[in-house]
């Protein structure tokens, strides 16, 4: 979707931040908070037109903004700029001017992305304990067996000569399994630290000049999945393509986030460094392919370099929750499936019960872990190993006879937070707790927030059941724990029979809001053993689409070595992987409710990649997937081409396998999409496909197409969506066109479509869209008068005393002076707009509608300063409203479905200020596929009326600044003293 460039008005700052999305599927796990990439106030990415002088641009911004980063690349010529005083919504009419400059092609607000969330199962603390050394010779890594990497590796294909760039947190290149060095001849042979250790996303990136070392861990894990060197490491960890050269482009400091100007720079540096594949396990919910980073990435793909990005870990948010930049056109969005094995590194300890003396077992230390020389009997609140709510409620109160201080409390995982279970054990005197799992594997359980707990650990479900059985037999089970730092370690690979091979419950669902098929395909990302920084234990098991993505980058490298003719052909490589991928059944993570139904394409894409089949396929499809769009835009016929690269003529037979149809909404009147797996409903309903082929023209029925060796034929497909569905709940149907050749080839082409109208969906939830009041002033820097808490929804006619603003061109005050201007009154406040977007919106306006203005003193317009007259806005018509126009910070484009808020201090998008008065704000949120000139294509929410005036500074007096210097008088803006209206 491309919007007309009506947005000549600047896309301005405003503190837009995302709120937390849906709950994780297992609340006690590390939070996987959904977070749409927030806009960074006052920061913009500008792309220049080719051949235009950019000096006029820099001259124009000079007074108000500074150049933050040059984005001077072959495929992206521009810059990121930052307006001064970022916490004032300070950009003035300069942004409007600059958008209109001939040199400016596009202008986007900068967005911020987090270090990818992943679940950390365990981190090793390895010194080469001989007991754990396993030096495999053949590649038997389960994730490689799942994806046929082992079969290509057996043929000697390792990705030799392929340069794979990784955009991530850096890499511990000194790790023995990652080559042990940086630079030419090393595994990590190229790359760049774009940001330095101190970068947080809220300061200026400072390239360190050093190789891109990792102080987080994420990038080291990702790099090992791609190319860890076998034979030199403790656990036999081997990467998908150990023959590649890695280029690490570091975009995160040790803490904090990354802005997309840095990401665009990193991708373009990687491209110019000659990367054959670029991979990045970074992203955030978006759903729009026109975001700056998605556009820049799509451009690299269009220039011959495949880019693989993780689909996102927001599966719980349901459908239509694609991530940037994975949602870019032609960009490969990688979904995650769970590993068939749950590799777990246990610390060894022993126990004694009546039947067994000194039996050893493995545990995963939690936090805290003061287990050294703790030997105590076990106690359990219940002997029911199916209990869902063990220790979720308080136990009977502690008394003289039921004290648990002499026990280790054994408790089953489930339902409530680990900290609740710990508190309930603690209330009865316990200090040591062992949790037994309710799913395969173990986790590092952190209850360090609960004071009093000395030791926390987790054991497997099986170990827990064995102990409970012994306790139920009235046996005493005495556990002799060990210090996890020094305890011997053992790697155990438990079969994951519950979810192994199925899409991970956290993997984000597509499609995009334009009904582009996302994700493309899936790879193992759940429970992945790989390298970790030496300082953090050297090896770890993590879960996330972050872990699936580098495996697919490795798969691309193998495929490029196997098919060098396709090296610069991302579309062909992608369609080979897509057509040979293996779709799997639907599994909601807990039970297989639909044992015969394939998982929707919006969840698994083409399915699990099978790289050996892709490497040797002699039939190529021109497409990776087909979208039939929604009912309003239903595409009658889609064409694709089959090319027979084999040596003989092949007859291909077309057939169809439907996948589960997934309802976007649970109920008819719902506007908030259903959560997965809680309320997302799938049904067995498939489209009916019809084909037209050249064989049909010769009397065939259209289900076959005969293609001589070396030739190609077009197949036309039409899809009649499934019938009997409830269109108001927006079902997404999907499936696979199976293409079986007489030569034994078996390919499939995924497709999807939507029944119902995306354009008619509510995007803005009126009930949860409102104004609140945020206090910002203080009576003095050390005042004990607390700043009042923010209000929730304001009462009608609430008064806001907005902070004093400085006239344009006079903003060169010191921080202390600026601070002083805000201190005068602790009731100073900002208007906070809270919006709940239940669906993505391509455009959101916020226009200020005056109801009654204050009388203006004849001598001056208000607000004004003694030296500068700030123009009062003029009334004009916006979509049928008489308004002063957009408030600063709006309009905003391409918003994901999430709540967000923006604070406002009276500034208007055109650089004027709203005069004191009584107002309402009218929000317009454009529908998906909406026409931005049609009021009926917007959701419209009018706020309660509210009053504004500005902080009063009496003429002639200057507030004392904390530095003791008086703030120059000319900086004061005179306000009418009378409160009005
Ligand atoms: C302005 O921003 C700076 C840096 O982010 C911060 O230290 C300061 O407290 C902010 N001032 C106000 C009034 O919010
Ligand atoms: C102590 O509490 C237990 C329940 O935990 C109860 O069965 C027992 O009777 C109580 N003993 C006394 C002395 O109150
Ligand atoms: C365990 O001991 C209790 C009382 O000490 C007794 O009531 C119960 O029957 C015993 N259970 C078994 C399985 O021996």
């Amino acid at each position: 979707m491309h919007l007309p460039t009506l947005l000549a008005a600047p896309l301005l700052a405003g503190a837009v931040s995302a709120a937390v999305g849906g709950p994780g599927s297992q609340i006690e796990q590390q939070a996987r908070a959904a977070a749409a990439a927030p806009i960074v106030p006052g920061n913009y990415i500008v792309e220049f037109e080719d051949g235009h002088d950019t000096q006029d641009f820099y001259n124009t911004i000079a007074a108000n903004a500074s150049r933050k980063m040059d984005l001077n690349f072959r495929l992206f010529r521009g810059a990121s700029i930052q307006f001064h005083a970022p916490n004032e919504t300070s950009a003035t009419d300069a942004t409007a001017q600059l958008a209109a400059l001939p040199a400016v092609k596009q202008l986007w607000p900068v967005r911020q992305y987090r270090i990818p969330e992943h679940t950390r199962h365990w981190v090793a603390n390895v010194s080469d304990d001989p007991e754990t050394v396993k030096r495999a010779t053949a590649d038997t890594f389960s994730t490689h067996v799942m994806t046929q990497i082992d079969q290509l590796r057996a043929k000697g294909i390792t990705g030799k000569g392929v340069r794979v760039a990784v955009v991530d947190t850096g890499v511990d290149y000194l790790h023995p399994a990652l080559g042990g060095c940086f630079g030419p001849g090393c595994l990590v042979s190229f790359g760049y630290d774009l940001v330095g250790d101190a970068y947080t996303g809220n300061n200026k990136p400072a390239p360190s000049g050093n190789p891109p070392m990792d102080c987080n861990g994420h990038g080291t894990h990702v790099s090992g999945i791609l190319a860890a060197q076998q034979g030199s490491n403790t656990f036999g960890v081997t990467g998908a393509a150990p023959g590649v050269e890695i280029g690490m482009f570091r975009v995160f400091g040790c803490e904090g986030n990354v802005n997309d100007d840095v990401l665009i720079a990193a991708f373009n540096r990687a491209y110019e460094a000659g990367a054959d594949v670029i991979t990045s396990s970074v992203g955030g919910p978006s759903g729009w392919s026109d975001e700056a980073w998605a556009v820049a990435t799509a451009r690299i793909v269009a220039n011959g370099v495949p880019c693989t990005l993780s689909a996102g870990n927001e599966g719980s948010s349901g459908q239509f929750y694609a991530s940037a930049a994975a949602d870019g056109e032609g960009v490969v969005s990688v979904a995650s499936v769970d590993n068939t094995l749950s590799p777990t590194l246990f610390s060894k300890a022993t126990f004694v019960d009546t039947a067994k003396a000194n039996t050893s077992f493995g545990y995963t230390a939690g936090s805290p872990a003061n287990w050294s020389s703790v030997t105590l009997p076990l106690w359990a609140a219940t002997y029911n190993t199916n209990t869902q709510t063990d220790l979720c409620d308080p136990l009977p109160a502690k008394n003289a006879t039921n004290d648990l201080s002499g026990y280790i409390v054994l408790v089953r995982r489930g339902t409530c937070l680990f900290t609740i279970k710990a508190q309930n054990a603690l209330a009865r005197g316990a200090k040591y707790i062992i949790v037994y799992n309710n799913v395969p594997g173990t986790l590092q359980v952190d209850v360090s927030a609960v004071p009093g707990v000395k030791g926390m650990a987790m054991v497997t479900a099986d170990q827990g059941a064995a102990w409970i059985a012994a306790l139920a037999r009235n046996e005493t089970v005495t556990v002799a724990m060990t210090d996890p730092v020094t305890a011997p370690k053992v790697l155990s690979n438990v079969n994951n029979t519950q979810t192994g091979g199925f899409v991970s419950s956290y993997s984000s669902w597509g499609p995009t809001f334009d009904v582009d098929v996302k994700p493309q395909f899936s790879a193992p990302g759940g429970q992945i053993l790989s390298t970790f920084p030496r300082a953090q234990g050297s090896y770890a098991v993590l879960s996330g689409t972050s872990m699936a993505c580098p495996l697919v980058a490795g798969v691309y490298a193998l495929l490029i070595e196997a098919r060098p003719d396709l090296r610069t052909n991302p579309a062909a490589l992608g369609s080979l992987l897509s057509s040979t991928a293996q779709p799997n059944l639907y599994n909601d993570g807990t039970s297989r409710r639909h044992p015969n139904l394939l998982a929707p394409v919006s969840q698994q894409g083409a399915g699990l990649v099978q790289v050996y089949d892709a490497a040797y396929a002699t039939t190529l499809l021109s497409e990776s997937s087909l979208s039939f769009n929604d009912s309003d835009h239903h595409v009658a016929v889609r064409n694709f081409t089959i090319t027979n690269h084999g040596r003989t003529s092949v007859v291909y037979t077309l057939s169809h396998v439907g996948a589960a149809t997934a309802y976007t909404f649970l109920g008819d009147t719902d506007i908030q999409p259903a959560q997965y797996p809680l309320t997302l409903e799938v049904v067995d309903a498939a489209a009916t496909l019809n084909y037209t082929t050249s064989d049909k023209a010769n009397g065939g029925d259209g289900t076959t197409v005969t293609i001589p060796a070396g030739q190609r034929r077009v197949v036309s497909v039409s899809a009649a969506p499934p019938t009997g569905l409830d269109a108001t709940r927006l079902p997404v149907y999907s499936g696979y066109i199976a293409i079986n050749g007489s030569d034994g080839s078996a390919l499939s082409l995924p497709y999807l479509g939507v029944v119902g109208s995306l354009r008619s969906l509510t995007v803005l939830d009126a009930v949860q869209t409102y104004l609140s009041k945020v206090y910002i002033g203080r009576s003095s820097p050390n005042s004990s008068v607390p700043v009042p808490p923010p209000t929730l929804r304001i009462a009608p006619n609430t008064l806001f005393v907005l902070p004093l603003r400085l006239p344009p061109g006079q903003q060169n005050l010191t921080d202390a002076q600026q601070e002083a201007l805000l201190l005068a009154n602790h009731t100073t406040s900002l208007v906070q707009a809270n919006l709940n977007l239940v669906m993505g919106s391509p455009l959101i306006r916020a226009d200020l509608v005056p109801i009654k203005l204050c009388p203006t003193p004849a001598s001056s317009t208000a607000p004004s300063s003694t030296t500068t007259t700030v123009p009062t806005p003029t009334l004009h018509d916006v979509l049928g409203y008489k308004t002063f126009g957009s408030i600063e910070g709006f309009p905003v484009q391409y918003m994901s479905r999430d709540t967000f808020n923006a604070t406002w201090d009276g500034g208007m998008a055109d650089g004027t200020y709203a005069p004191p008065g009584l107002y309402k704000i009218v929000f317009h949120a454009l529908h998906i596929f909406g026409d931005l000139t049609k009021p009926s294509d917007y959701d419209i929410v009018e706020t309660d009326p509210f009053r504004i005036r500005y902080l009063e500074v009496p003429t002639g007096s200057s507030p004392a600044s904390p530095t003791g210097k008086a703030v120059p008088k000319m900086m004061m803006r005179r306000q009418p003293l009378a409160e009005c209206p």
Side-chain angles (χ1 to χ4, degrees):
M1 169 186 276
H2 293 276
L3 282 174
T5 44
L6 177 138
L7 298 171
L11 312 165
L12 279 196
V16 181
S17 67
V20 171
S25 50
Q26 288 166 312
I27 54 172
E28 81 278 28
Q29 283 199 22
Q30 192 170 325
R32 292 193 195 97
I39 289 171
V40 183
N43 284 249
Y44 293 87
I45 293 169
V46 180
E47 185 178 14
F48 298 131
E49 292 281 5
D50 286 339
H52 270 87
D53 182 14
T54 54
Q55 197 51 50
D56 58 344
F57 169 81
Y58 288 116
N59 291 344
T60 306
I61 67 164
N64 298 295
S66 53
R67 196 186 321 192
K68 203 166 175 193
M69 274 183 89
D70 278 324
L71 299 170
N72 208 353
F73 299 103
R74 292 210 294 276
L75 299 183
F76 195 100
R77 225 166 53 82
S80 73
I81 58 168
Q82 178 174 24
F83 284 86
H84 300 142
N87 48 4
E88 304 226 336
T89 45
S90 66
T92 64
D93 52 351
T95 35
Q97 286 174 28
L98 71 86
L101 288 174
V104 174
K105 183 173 169 186
Q106 297 199 73
L107 187 66
W108 294 272
V110 169
R111 287 177 190 261
Q112 193 164 85
Y113 294 86
R114 292 187 180 175
I115 288 190
E117 306 274 357
H118 50 255
T119 302
R120 188 183 281 206
H121 299 277
W122 55 262
V123 175
N125 196 342
V126 177
S127 54
D128 261 65
D129 173 3
E131 196 172 350
T132 62
V133 174
K134 278 206 273 179
R135 288 201 171 92
T137 44
D139 180 5
T140 56
F141 228 50
S142 58
T143 56
H144 297 181
V145 175
M146 291 169 76
T147 50
Q148 298 181 338
I149 289 171
D150 61 327
Q151 297 180 41
L152 276 191
R153 294 276 296 278
K155 294 198 141 223
I157 294 175
T158 60
K160 281 182 293 296
V162 180
R163 288 160 73 82
V164 182
V166 182
V167 177
D168 211 293
T169 63
V171 55
D172 182 1
Y173 49 83
L174 295 177
H175 194 299
L178 294 173
C181 58
F182 177 83
C186 300
L187 173 63
V188 186
S189 71
F190 66 113
Y192 187 66
D193 174 4
L194 282 89
V195 293
D197 284 357
Y199 178 65
T200 63
N202 299 321
N203 52 10
K204 203 171 164 168
S208 67
N210 298 324
M213 187 44 91
D214 184 8
C215 44
N216 175 280
H218 189 268
T220 300
H221 201 265
V222 159
S223 300
I225 291 168
L226 170 62
Q229 306 294 294
Q230 194 181 11
S232 61
N233 72 72
T234 308
F235 298 117
V237 170
T238 170
V244 298
E245 284 180 44
I246 295 179
M248 172 57 71
F249 293 83
R250 181 187 178 202
V251 295
F252 287 94
C254 293
E255 278 172 14
N257 306 321
V258 60
N259 294 347
D260 56 0
D261 51 358
V262 172
L263 289 165
I264 290 169
F267 272 67
N268 278 282
R269 272 183 174 272
Y271 172 77
E272 295 190 1
D276 297 300
V277 179
I278 303 175
T279 187
S280 185
S281 298
V282 180
S286 166
W288 299 106
S289 54
D290 291 312
E291 258 310 310
W293 180 30
V295 167
T297 305
R299 206 175 283 169
I300 290 171
V301 176
N303 280 274
V305 176
C307 293
T308 55
L309 281 102
S310 41
N313 298 338
E314 275 77 41
S316 63
S317 295
Q319 294 197 105
F320 290 100
Y321 213 56
S323 283
D327 53 17
E329 276 180 57
V331 177
V332 175
S333 169
V334 182
S336 169
V337 304
D338 284 352
N339 195 345
T340 50
L341 295 181
S342 299
T344 308
L345 186 81
F346 292 116
S347 296
K348 287 172 78 171
T350 55
F351 69 91
V352 179
D353 66 17
T354 310
K356 297 170 191 154
N358 269 331
T359 310
S360 107
F361 72 97
Y363 71 93
T364 298
S367 186
N370 303 308
W371 285 114
S372 179
S373 61
V374 172
T375 299
L376 291 172
L378 293 176
W379 180 91
T382 167
Y383 297 157
N384 173 7
T385 51
N386 293 316
T387 176
Q388 302 294 320
T389 55
D390 203 2
L391 283 190
C392 288
D393 294 315
L395 293 167
K398 185 168 140 182
N399 62 34
T401 58
N402 67 8
D403 180 66
L404 294 178
S405 58
Y407 293 90
I408 295 171
V409 170
L410 180 65
V411 56
R412 187 168 192 254
R413 179 185 180 188
T415 304
C416 57
L417 294 169
F418 291 122
T419 50
I420 301 288
K421 293 177 194 274
Q423 268 154 3
N424 289 330
L426 208 67
R428 278 277 287 274
K431 295 186 176 55
Y432 299 98
I433 300 158
I434 296 179
V435 179
Y436 64 101
N437 212 345
N438 56 359
V439 292
T442 56
L443 284 179
Q444 290 184 307
V445 178
D446 185 352
V447 292
S448 51
V450 183
V453 177
K454 287 188 171 165
M456 172 54 93
M458 189 184 256
V459 296
T460 61
D462 290 348
Q463 183 62 64
W467 281 341
I468 293 288
L471 294 176
R473 291 193 302 266
N474 280 352
E475 294 175 17
T476 301
V477 181
T478 301
V479 174
M481 293 297 283
T482 47
D483 181 348
V485 177
T486 54
K489 299 289 190 296
V490 62
L491 176 65
S492 138
N493 275 312
V494 185
N495 281 323
N496 179 352
T497 51
Q498 201 168 359
T499 60
F502 296 97
V503 182
S504 308
S505 58
Y506 54 74
S507 194
S508 293
W509 295 59
T512 67
F513 296 120
D514 301 331
V515 202
D516 196 9
V517 176
K518 296 286 170 183
Q520 267 52 57
F521 27 73
S522 43
Q527 302 264 351
I528 306 300
L529 169 63
S530 182
T531 46
F532 218 49
R534 289 160 301 139
Q536 296 181 50
S538 296
Y539 294 91
V541 171
L542 307 181
S543 288
T545 53
S546 284
M547 282 66 241
C549 185
L551 192 89
V552 170
V555 157
Y556 268 84
L558 299 175
L559 197 52
I560 286 171
E561 186 187 342
R563 310 189 73 139
D565 52 315
L566 300 180
R567 188 177 199 110
T568 59
N569 192 339
L573 294 167
S575 82
L576 276 171
L577 288 169
S578 178
S579 63
T580 54
Q582 214 169 59
N584 205 348
L585 297 173
Y586 185 65
N587 177 318
D588 72 1
T590 53
S591 60
R592 292 176 203 174
R593 291 181 303 188
H594 295 275
N596 300 314
L597 214 43
L598 291 175
V601 170
S602 57
Q603 187 192 27
Q604 69 170 336
L608 184 59
V609 291
Q610 302 292 304
V611 65
Y612 185 89
D613 291 347
Y616 297 105
T618 55
T619 301
L620 254 76
L621 308 183
S622 61
E623 308 294 325
S624 298
S625 58
L626 304 175
S627 168
F628 290 97
N629 217 328
D630 71 349
S631 299
D632 294 343
H633 306 86
H634 183 69
V635 181
V637 177
R638 281 273 182 218
N639 293 334
F640 65 96
T641 304
I642 305 176
T643 305
N644 175 8
H645 288 284
R647 299 211 175 108
T648 56
S649 180
V650 176
V651 180
Y652 296 94
T653 304
L654 306 171
S655 59
H656 171 226
V657 188
T661 288
Y663 277 110
T664 304
F665 301 103
L666 178 62
D668 264 343
T669 55
D670 285 4
I671 56 172
Q672 186 88 50
Q675 300 234 321
Y676 175 75
L678 293 179
T679 53
L680 192 149
E681 188 192 349
V682 303
V683 292
D684 186 357
T688 308
L689 301 193
N690 273 295
Y691 320 97
T692 306
T693 66
S694 47
D695 284 16
K696 191 169 190 174
N698 300 325
D701 64 357
T703 60
T704 60
V705 55
T706 306
I707 308 181
Q711 295 200 21
R712 70 187 59 184
R713 294 286 182 273
V714 174
V715 176
S716 302
V717 195
S718 63
T723 53
L725 297 174
D726 181 352
T728 58
R729 293 173 54 200
L730 208 73
V732 179
Y733 62 91
S734 61
Y736 301 86
I737 301 167
I739 301 155
N740 291 296
S742 53
D743 62 345
S745 57
L747 303 178
S748 60
L749 176 60
Y751 72 88
L752 64 69
V754 177
V755 175
S757 165
L758 281 165
R759 184 172 180 162
S760 65
L761 293 182
T762 297
V763 296
L764 185 62
D765 174 10
V767 175
Q768 289 182 57
T769 294
Y770 56 91
L771 300 182
S772 56
K773 187 172 186 176
V774 188
Y775 293 94
I776 56 165
R778 275 175 291 156
S779 50
S780 79
N782 303 315
S783 170
S784 57
V785 180
V787 176
T791 61
L792 293 175
R793 190 187 192 113
I794 57 162
N797 302 319
T798 292
L799 173 71
F800 291 86
V801 180
L802 302 175
L804 197 69
R805 283 176 53 117
L806 301 177
Q810 297 184 0
Q811 292 159 342
N812 52 347
L813 295 184
T814 64
D815 285 351
Q817 287 168 326
Q818 292 190 26
E819 187 77 15
L821 291 171
L822 288 172
L823 291 181
N825 190 327
H826 76 268
T827 59
T828 311
S829 55
L830 295 173
V831 180
Q832 178 167 293
N834 305 281
L835 291 91
N836 183 25
L837 282 171
V838 289
M839 269 289 160
S841 173
L843 176 71
I844 297 168
R845 298 193 57 92
D847 296 295
L848 188 67
V849 172
I851 300 169
K852 188 178 174 207
L853 298 183
C854 297
T856 308
S859 58
S860 69
T861 54
S864 69
S865 81
T866 52
T867 53
T868 310
T869 301
V870 181
T872 298
T874 50
L875 274 178
H876 55 276
D877 185 277
V878 172
L879 296 162
Y881 284 87
K882 286 269 178 289
T883 160
F884 281 163
S886 180
I887 65 170
E888 199 169 13
F890 288 86
V892 286
Q893 274 182 291
Y894 305 126
M895 297 303 288
S896 174
R897 62 171 172 88
D898 273 302
T899 57
F900 76 98
N901 54 57
T903 51
W904 181 61
D905 71 349
M908 303 299 293
D910 64 1
T912 59
Y913 303 95
L918 177 68
Y919 292 95
K920 63 185 173 188
I921 293 175
V922 179
F923 296 109
H924 281 87
L926 184 60
H927 287 188
I928 298 163
F929 292 129
D931 173 345
L932 76 175
T933 63
K934 268 198 189 158
S936 60
D937 274 1
Y938 289 87
D939 288 333
I940 303 171
V941 176
E942 298 181 14
T943 68
D944 287 323
F946 61 96
R947 295 175 296 154
I948 61 168
R949 64 179 173 79
Y950 295 85
L951 186 62
E952 289 172 15
V953 180
T955 320
S957 80
S958 303
S961 78
T963 57
K965 287 189 197 133
V967 176
K969 222 190 295 178
M970 65 175 191
M971 299 302 177
M972 302 297 119
R973 198 194 299 150
R974 284 194 58 205
Q975 303 297 337
L977 291 179
E979 187 172 307
C980 92

